Amino acid sequence: MVSPRLLPLLLLTQVFGQAQRMTQDALLMQYIERRIMLLEERIEKCNQDMNRNVREFRDFRKEIMFRLDGLSIYKTEFKNEMEVMGSRIERMEKDVDYLEAQQPTQPCVEIDDKLVEAEIQQEKKRRAKFRMTSDCDTMLTSFRSLKIVKKAGEAQGSWIKDPTRDFHKIYFFSGTSGNSFVEFAGIRAFMDGVGRQAPKRVTLPLAWQGTGHVAQNGFLYFHSNGTLNQIIKYDMRNGTASDRMLLQGAGRIPAYQLTPGTFIDLALDEQGLWAIHAEPENNGDGTIVLTKLDQSNLAVEHTWDTSCTSKGAEAAFVICGTLYVVYNTQFGGRSHVQCVYDVVDTVTSADIHALYFPKRYGKHSMIHYNPRERQLYAWDDGYQTIYKLNTKKKLEERPSFK
């Protein structure tokens, strides 16, 4: 048994021991709390640093993406400029070959003035012979009259005739894209909607785009929809696409600024099939390019960079190898021919000044010359119109040769 005297001492010792253990536990808890607080502070600092790093990474990513977009734009512009330069160089080489073929390089020998004069006269005779064999010596002087045939279809479209085969028929294209057209037996059937033959809707195997279609000798030529610069030759007799070609340099900008739906405008004159398109310049404008095509196989015969701009232009047509570009205002005004380019350099813009159309205020989406009838077929804000022309013979020689 424990002695009564020792009992208080044991109790006191036990109490002190418990107090000491509690004190130690309290100190341990305080130490653990301090360590936890330090850990929480470090974790918070890590979170802040991580959030800051994430923000900086996002900002860096945005900056990189912005610079990559800029580089992509520069790459595209550089590529386009290289393509334009390549096409220009190619055409320059063709021009050099063409000039060399037309006038072979002469040996470097001394010749007297009489021989030079004889060669000049011979060259003049050769040019005159070329003009006679082409059987095309007229130039436009003014517009004689305007005839409004009908108002049909959309604000933009095209209506054409074949000058060589079934030349009475009318081919009607409403809008700037589609896969069909309407064939009318003649102008009377088109105007009145009556005739021996009902209008026939023809569905094409390939869709068309723009308003630059032409018909020649039973074939329809058009710009294939959804392609950059593919021209289709469609046989209207058997309903098949008989040929196609890619017009180099075309399709990047509209042929005319005021007719944005037309990228390739095809044309007919006494010398055959032509293609008109525009190529971009560094100042944002476009230069109109004229190409002579072989209508039998769509081969390119020759290409000319004209002096005409596509800015402010709405349409163009070709008469006897001379390109007449029609200009207007953005909101519609009085159309006028302001720029002329002749492939044999006989007619210039200075020879015709400004030719204004008969007084009518609108915008043309197409103007095509019919070499059989020698008049223009046009689409003016949904009105199908015909312009009769006044012409004269081209000058036999330019004044600068005199």
Side-chain angles (χ1 to χ4, degrees):
M1 291 186 57
V2 180
S3 174
R5 293 180 181 181
L6 294 176
L7 184 60
L9 181 61
L10 292 173
L11 292 174
L12 182 61
T13 302
Q14 185 178 3
V15 169
F16 279 124
Q18 292 179 352
Q20 186 176 6
R21 285 194 299 272
M22 291 179 62
T23 302
Q24 291 177 351
D25 292 341
L27 292 175
L28 180 60
M29 290 299 297
Q30 290 178 0
Y31 174 77
I32 293 174
E33 288 179 356
R34 286 196 302 270
R35 298 298 295 178
I36 291 175
M37 291 178 62
L38 289 174
L39 288 174
E40 290 178 347
E41 289 177 358
R42 289 183 179 180
I43 292 173
E44 180 65 24
K45 188 174 183 303
C46 287
N47 288 333
Q48 293 176 356
D49 293 341
M50 184 174 64
N51 292 333
R52 185 176 65 255
N53 292 335
V54 169
R55 288 194 300 270
E56 291 177 354
F57 178 76
R58 288 176 178 174
D59 294 339
F60 178 73
R61 180 176 177 273
K62 290 180 180 178
E63 181 69 18
I64 292 297
M65 294 301 296
F66 176 76
R67 291 183 180 274
L68 288 176
D69 291 339
L71 289 176
S72 179
I73 294 174
Y74 293 146
K75 177 183 176 182
T76 302
E77 293 177 351
F78 180 76
K79 182 179 179 181
N80 291 337
E81 290 179 359
M82 289 299 100
E83 289 178 354
V84 172
M85 184 177 298
S87 62
R88 292 289 177 82
I89 293 174
E90 183 179 354
R91 281 200 298 274
M92 289 175 63
E93 292 175 348
K94 290 181 180 179
D95 289 340
V96 172
D97 294 339
Y98 176 77
L99 292 175
E100 289 179 351
Q102 296 296 320
Q103 186 176 2
T105 304
Q106 300 295 328
C108 183
V109 296
E110 294 183 359
I111 54 178
D112 57 22
D113 294 339
K114 291 183 178 180
L115 290 177
V116 173
E117 182 65 24
E119 289 184 357
I120 293 176
Q121 294 298 328
Q122 185 177 1
E123 176 65 16
K124 290 180 179 180
K125 292 179 179 179
R126 187 194 65 80
R127 290 191 179 186
K129 182 179 180 181
F130 169 77
R131 297 189 186 104
M132 287 188 293
T133 55
S134 66
D135 193 25
C136 193
D137 61 347
T138 59
M139 60 175 287
L140 177 64
T141 58
S142 63
F143 300 97
R144 186 192 310 168
S145 62
L146 158 69
K147 178 182 180 181
I148 300 176
V149 178
K150 190 175 182 179
K151 185 180 190 303
E154 301 181 19
Q156 296 188 23
S158 178
W159 69 305
I160 57 176
K161 297 177 74 174
D162 187 333
T164 55
R165 183 184 179 91
D166 295 330
F167 51 85
H168 295 297
K169 291 184 178 180
I170 300 289
Y171 305 107
F172 184 82
F173 300 78
S174 181
T176 56
S177 64
N179 64 349
S180 64
F181 63 92
V182 181
E183 176 186 305
F184 294 87
I187 192 71
R188 180 61 59 187
F190 174 69
M191 293 174 60
D192 301 335
V194 296
R196 295 181 180 179
Q197 297 180 355
K200 180 175 67 173
R201 178 167 294 275
V202 179
T203 300
L204 300 171
L206 297 168
W208 51 266
Q209 70 174 1
T211 59
H213 337 294
V214 295
Q216 172 81 335
N217 197 28
F219 293 93
L220 175 68
Y221 302 84
F222 61 89
H223 181 192
S224 179
N225 192 15
T227 67
L228 184 67
N229 50 18
Q230 187 180 69
I231 298 175
I232 301 296
K233 179 181 179 181
Y234 171 76
D235 191 335
M236 290 189 285
R237 289 163 291 188
N238 58 31
T240 60
S242 62
D243 208 345
R244 63 191 69 196
M245 65 90 68
L246 299 179
L247 185 62
Q248 296 298 325
R252 285 175 290 177
I253 61 174
Y256 318 110
Q257 183 191 40
L258 301 183
T259 310
T262 300
F263 289 81
I264 299 177
D265 188 15
L266 300 171
L268 292 173
D269 75 343
E270 293 82 355
Q271 296 181 348
L273 180 63
W274 304 80
I276 307 165
H277 74 276
E279 294 189 3
E281 297 290 347
N282 293 330
N283 60 3
D285 298 336
T287 297
I288 293 179
V289 179
L290 180 64
T291 302
K292 181 69 176 66
L293 299 177
D294 186 337
Q295 62 194 38
S296 63
N297 57 12
L298 295 182
V300 174
E301 295 182 358
H302 198 70
T303 299
W304 295 267
D305 286 329
T306 74
S307 56
C308 303
T309 178
S310 64
K311 183 178 181 181
E314 64 178 9
F317 54 92
V318 181
I319 301 177
C320 287
T322 302
L323 175 70
Y324 298 84
V325 184
V326 181
Y327 294 85
N328 206 328
T329 63
Q330 182 178 0
F331 302 102
R334 192 172 179 189
S335 302
H336 57 283
V337 175
Q338 187 173 313
C339 185
V340 172
Y341 185 85
D342 188 7
V343 297
V344 295
D345 201 26
T346 303
V347 183
T348 66
S349 300
D351 296 324
I352 65 164
H353 305 290
L355 296 178
Y356 281 87
F357 279 70
K359 197 170 183 179
R360 176 172 174 78
Y361 298 91
K363 284 194 297 186
H364 296 95
S365 60
M366 62 80 64
I367 302 176
H368 282 175
Y369 175 67
N370 187 309
R372 180 186 182 88
E373 301 173 0
R374 296 191 175 183
Q375 57 187 9
L376 300 179
Y377 283 76
W379 191 293
D380 184 0
D381 278 341
Y383 289 90
Q384 292 75 49
T385 57
I386 295 177
Y387 294 99
K388 293 187 179 297
L389 310 176
N390 289 322
T391 60
K392 68 176 184 180
K393 289 188 176 182
K394 293 182 180 180
L395 297 175
E396 289 297 327
E397 297 296 338
R398 292 285 305 278
S400 57
F401 286 103
K402 294 182 179 179

